[in-house]
């Protein structure tokens, strides 16, 4: 299907343009009055936005998009609801029965009917949402549909892709024309970079003497600490020391010790918060201490508060949450929320090389106000890590306009 948007003075003007562009089989999907141009919200001109579409060769005749599916959907569901209401179940919805000491057969029937009514209501909400989504798609230009699909595949929250589409439409209105694919991509990049820029260019604080790394099991905390030790030593000229509190896993201490030996960095092992002062004392000559912690199931609030209690320090310190991009977006959001409640603001994403889906970064940054410091993209120490840059990140998220 080809979809095109026209901004005209009156409908007849659009009809002749549609005939010329899309042919005689084209249908008008939507029309609405819009305001364009002007200065600071004043002197805006009234125009008409017309969305038209035509089925391309591959589709069969008679499968043209429905103009307004939602009223029909609503009507069907309404009918089901009314039938249920006539059978007396509606009374159960309006006035739920007071709990009786011994439920009778009719109480049980009412309960069942109420359950069915609620199911139908949920179904109606879902169908209304679905048809709204479909009719929204029908009002979008082809490049905008392609953009929305790309962002959906990238698992960007709908909240942000909707906002982006809204901003693009406003931009088109000011420009008084419909953007082609390259323009949609370029303008999207400009807008997304603007959103994420305030959170980019974060780095390991130059003021912090102790930096703790926390995160779920196996995300790459220990490997990342080794990479950052090299970065901080070589690029920042800082004198680095390691502490690890990961004494849960048998080989964990040895793993960090191997890196410590290669990088010539002293390592202290702590078994409980009581060992920390001794470890800080042993590393008193070091101006940056990177502290490794054990990976835990941080969907559990208990584990989060346990690790937080270990991170108390009288030294200037900060905590970096390490998350792997191979994790599920919903799980990452739960973990980010748990840690952001404790004031953790920095995040570092690993395993960029193992995925092609990048929306989670934007979702977490914008929702929880997290500052990404780096992106890690491989197992090589110290090379596979880079500072987070808004522009290159948005390029990854949007991909190439022509290939989408
Ligand atoms: N592909 C890829 N692998 C990585 C990356 N970072 C770490 N790894 C690998 O992920 C595995 C786990 O890394 P660790 O550094 O041990 O992870 P951890 O978070 O310390 O694990 P726990 O201490 O067990 O919670 C290792 O095989 C690393 O080489 C990365 O950016 N990309
Ligand atoms: Mg580890």
């Amino acid at each position: 299907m080809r979809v095109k948007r026209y901004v005209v003075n009156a409908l007849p003007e659009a009809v002749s343009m549609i005939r010329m562009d899309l042919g005689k089989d084209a249908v008008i999907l939507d029309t609405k009055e819009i305001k364009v141009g002007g200065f600071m919200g004043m002197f805006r001109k009234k125009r008409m936005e017309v969305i038209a579409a035509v089925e391309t060769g591959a589709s069969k005749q008679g499968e043209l998009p429905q103009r307004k599916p939602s009223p029909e959907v609503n009507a069907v569901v309404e009918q089901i609801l009314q039938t249920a209401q006539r059978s007396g179940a509606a009374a159960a919805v309006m006035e739920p029965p007071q709990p009786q000491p011994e439920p009778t057969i009719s109480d049980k029937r009412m309960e069942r009917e109420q359950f069915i009514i609620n199911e139908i209501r949920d179904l109606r909400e879902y169908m209304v949402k679905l048809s709204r989504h479909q009719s929204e798609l029908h009002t979008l230009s082809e490049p905008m549909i392609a953009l929305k699909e790309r962002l959906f595949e990238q698992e960007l929250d709908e909240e942000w892709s909707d906002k982006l589409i809204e901003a693009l439409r406003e931009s088109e209105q000011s420009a008084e024309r419909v953007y082609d694919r390259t323009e949609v991509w370029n303008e999207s990049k400009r807008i997304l970079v603007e959103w994420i820029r305030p959170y980019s260019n974060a780095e390991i604080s130059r003021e912090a003497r102790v930096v703790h790394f926390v995160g779920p099991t196996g995300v790459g905390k220990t490997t990342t600490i080794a990479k950052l030790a090299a970065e901080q030593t070589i690029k920042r000229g800082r004198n680095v020391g390691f502490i690890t509190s990961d004494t849960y896993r048998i080989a964990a201490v040895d793993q960090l010790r191997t890196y410590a030996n290669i990088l010539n960095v002293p390592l202290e092992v702590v078994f409980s918060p009581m060992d920390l002062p001794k470890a800080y004392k042993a590393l008193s000559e070091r101006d940056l201490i990177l502290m490794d912690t054990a990976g835990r199931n941080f969907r559990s609030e208990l584990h989060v508060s346990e690790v937080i209690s270990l991170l108390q320090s009288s030294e200037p310190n900060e905590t970096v949450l390490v998350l792997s991009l191979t994790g599920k977006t919903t799980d990452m959001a739960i973990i980010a929320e748990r840690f952001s409640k404790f004031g953790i603001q920095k995040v570092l994403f690993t395993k960029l090389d193992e995925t092609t889906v990048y929306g989670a970064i934007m979702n977490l940054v914008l929702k929880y106000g997290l500052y990404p410091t780096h992106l890690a993209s491989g197992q090589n120490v110290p090379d596979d890590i880079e500072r987070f840059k808004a522009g290159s990140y948005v390029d990854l998220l949007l991909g190439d306009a022509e290939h989408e």
Side-chain angles (χ1 to χ4, degrees), residues 287-299:
D287 44 40
L288 176 65
I289 296 169
L290 303 178
M291 178 164 161
D292 197 4
T293 60
R296 304 300 298 273
N297 165 20
F298 288 125
R299 288 172 55 96

Side-chain angles (χ1 to χ4, degrees), residues 18 181 190 303 364:
I18 293 166
R181 198 174 265 244
R190 188 190 63 75
H303 287 158
L364 299 184

Side-chain angles (χ1 to χ4, degrees), residues 221-359:
K221 296 177 292 298
T222 308
T223 315
T224 301
I225 285 174
K227 291 174 182 173
L228 291 177
E231 181 207 63
Q232 295 291 314
T233 311
I234 299 160
K235 295 194 187 147
R236 301 256 173 275
R238 297 179 85 177
N239 210 353
V240 177
F242 288 153
I243 295 181
T244 181
S245 65
D246 185 0
T247 48
Y248 290 92
R249 209 159 47 80
I250 293 171
V253 173
D254 287 343
Q255 185 191 1
L256 191 58
R257 198 183 299 284
T258 308
Y259 286 126
N261 289 341
I262 297 168
L263 298 163
N264 198 21
V265 166
L267 166 71
E268 292 295 317
V269 182
V270 296
F271 290 87
S272 78
M274 283 177 327
D275 298 338
L276 276 169
K278 204 171 134 245
Y280 290 140
K281 199 161 171 227
L283 298 171
S284 59
E285 303 287 298
R286 303 276 140 178
D287 44 40
L288 176 65
I289 296 169
L290 303 178
M291 178 164 161
D292 197 4
T293 60
R296 304 300 298 273
N297 165 20
F298 288 125
R299 288 172 55 96
S300 146
E301 252 176 288
L302 184 68
H303 287 158
V304 176
S305 45
E306 236 173 55
V307 74
I308 294 288
S309 70
L310 185 74
L311 309 182
Q312 312 306 329
S313 162
S314 54
E315 309 273 344
N317 67 89
E318 70 175 355
T319 300
V320 178
L321 172 63
V322 182
L323 291 173
S324 161
L325 289 169
T326 56
K328 260 170 73 182
T329 311
T330 44
D331 292 337
M332 280 195 250
I334 292 170
I335 295 164
E337 188 186 5
R338 299 243 189 284
F339 279 99
S340 67
K341 272 192 202 150
F342 287 95
I344 287 166
Q345 288 193 315
K346 290 198 176 160
V347 65
L348 189 154
F349 294 97
T350 60
K351 309 201 183 180
L352 184 76
D353 54 311
E354 288 193 33
T355 186
T356 50
V357 178
Y358 312 106

Side-chain angles (χ1 to χ4, degrees), residues 66-78 127-128 131-132 135:
Q66 286 175 298
R67 277 185 70 175
K68 290 198 165 69
S70 52
E72 281 135 38
V73 168
N74 260 343
V76 173
V77 180
E78 201 56 55
M127 290 176 85
V128 168
S131 64
R132 198 185 309 135
S135 51

